Amino acid sequence: MPEDAATLDGARVLVTGASRGYGAAIARALAAEGAYLIITATDTGRLASTAKACRALGAGGVECCSLDLADATSVDALTDAITTLVPRLEGVVLSAAILGARGPIADIAPADIEAAITVNVTHQLRLMQGLAPLMASGAGVVIITSGAASKPGRGAYGLTKGMLDVAADVLRAEWADRDVRVIRVNPGPLRTDMRAAVHPEEDPATVPPPSERVPPVIAVLKGADPGPCIQAAEWGLS
Ligand SMILES: NC(=O)c1ccc[n+]([C@@H]2O[C@H](COP(=O)([O-])OP(=O)(O)OC[C@H]3O[C@@H](n4cnc5c(N)ncnc54)[C@H](OP(=O)(O)O)[C@@H]3O)[C@@H](O)[C@H]2O)c1
C-alpha cells in the first residue's frame, strides 16, 4: 500500500471487466482517488471510454489492456504486459465474469459448464497465479462474488461463483502471511447489462446503479479487512 493507507493516490490497481457495469464504476471511483489504473475487457473500444472518464476524474495514469478470460494465451499476455508496466501492484479487482448457460446444472451441456468454469474460475486463478510475484505487501485483492453463488437454479453462474468463493477463501488463507488481503465483495443487484439479461422484465430504475455499491471495494483497497466476504448492500448500514 502507499505509505498512508488512507489514500490510493498513485496506488497501482488492476480492474478487470472495466468496460462497463460494476468494473467501470469501480475504475472511475479509483480514478477519483488518484490511482494508477490498469483496466481490462475484451471490448477495447468500450474500455477506451472508461479510460477517458478515468483520466478526466484524475487518475494517476490509465493503461487499457485486452483480456479474454476464455483464452489462456490472453491471460498470460496480460500478466506479461502488467509485469512490464509496473514492478508491484497494490490492488487487484476481479470484476469480469459471464453468466454462462442457464437452467438446472444437470441439464447444461458439459462443454457449456466447462466454458463458464474456464472464464469465471480457472482463468481468474491463472491470472492471480501470474500476478502473485507482483503483489505488494499490504495489497488488497477484491474478488466480486454474487448472492447467486452456490445457489440451486442459478445455472453455470451460481456454480462458478460458488467455486470462485472457495478459491478466494483458500487464497486469502494462503496469502495471509504475505500480508495480501483477499476479500470477496457481493454487490447485490446492480443496474448493469448482466442484471438486465437475467431480469428483462425488471424496471432498471428500481435497481441500484453500480456506483452506489463501490465504497466497500475502495475501503478494502485502502487497507480495510472486515473478513473474507462483504455484503456491499449492508456496508455502512447498522
Ligand atoms: N449485475 C448484478 O446484479 C450483479 C450482482 C451480483 C454480482 N455481480 C458481479 O459483478 C461483476 C460485474 O458484473 P456486471 O453486472 O458489471 O456485468 P456486465 O455488465 O456484464 O460486465 C461484465 C464485464 O466483464 C467483461 N467480460 C465479459 N466477458 C469477458 C471475458 N471473456 N474476458 C474478460 N472480460 C470479460 C465485460 O467486458 P467485455 O464484454 O468488453 O469483455 C464487462 O466489462 C461480475 O463478477 C458479476 O458476477 C453482478
Side-chain angles (χ1 to χ4, degrees):
M1 294 295 295
E3 246 172 55
D4 174 2
T7 178
L8 287 168
D9 197 19
R12 295 156 292 197
V13 184
L14 167 69
V15 183
T16 70
S19 58
R20 53 198 162 94
Y22 197 34
I26 291 166
R28 288 194 294 269
L30 287 166
E33 298 272 348
Y36 169 93
L37 295 169
I38 301 169
I39 57 175
T40 78
T42 62
D43 184 338
T44 48
R46 288 186 76 150
L47 197 57
S49 312
T50 304
K52 192 174 171 194
C54 287
R55 290 187 187 103
L57 285 162
V62 186
E63 298 287 344
C64 292
C65 294
S66 169
L67 169 66
D68 182 359
L69 282 160
D71 176 7
T73 308
S74 172
V75 176
D76 294 347
L78 175 65
T79 302
D80 290 347
I82 293 173
T83 304
T84 307
L85 286 168
V86 292
R88 286 279 178 275
L89 281 172
E90 282 79 30
V92 171
V93 180
L94 300 183
S95 188
I98 57 167
L99 275 176
R102 317 264 284 278
I105 56 170
D107 295 347
I108 299 175
D112 291 340
I113 289 186
E114 195 175 341
I117 292 174
T118 298
V119 171
N120 287 354
V121 187
T122 312
H123 286 165
Q124 308 270 356
L125 291 178
R126 188 181 181 108
L127 180 58
M128 291 316 303
Q129 288 172 330
L131 297 179
L134 294 184
M135 298 310 298
S137 175
V141 176
V142 176
I143 296 182
I144 306 304
T145 184
S146 165
S150 305
K151 296 254 175 70
R154 304 300 178 92
Y157 181 72
L159 173 73
T160 57
K161 283 292 180 180
M163 294 171 76
L164 190 62
D165 279 0
V166 173
D169 290 354
V170 170
L171 209 54
R172 175 179 171 85
E174 291 182 351
W175 284 5
D177 61 359
R178 301 179 48 177
D179 196 20
V180 174
R181 294 160 295 111
V182 180
I183 297 175
R184 294 179 278 123
V185 171
N186 171 19
L190 303 173
R191 192 187 306 160
T192 68
D193 295 345
M194 183 180 281
R195 176 79 188 181
V198 180
H199 296 284
E201 77 295 345
E202 188 174 69
D203 175 2
T206 63
V207 185
S211 56
E212 271 187 19
R213 299 290 157 85
V214 167
V217 176
I218 301 299
V220 168
L221 295 175
K222 283 184 172 177
D225 191 359
C229 186
I230 298 172
Q231 302 297 329
E234 294 161 14
W235 184 262
L237 304 176
S238 51

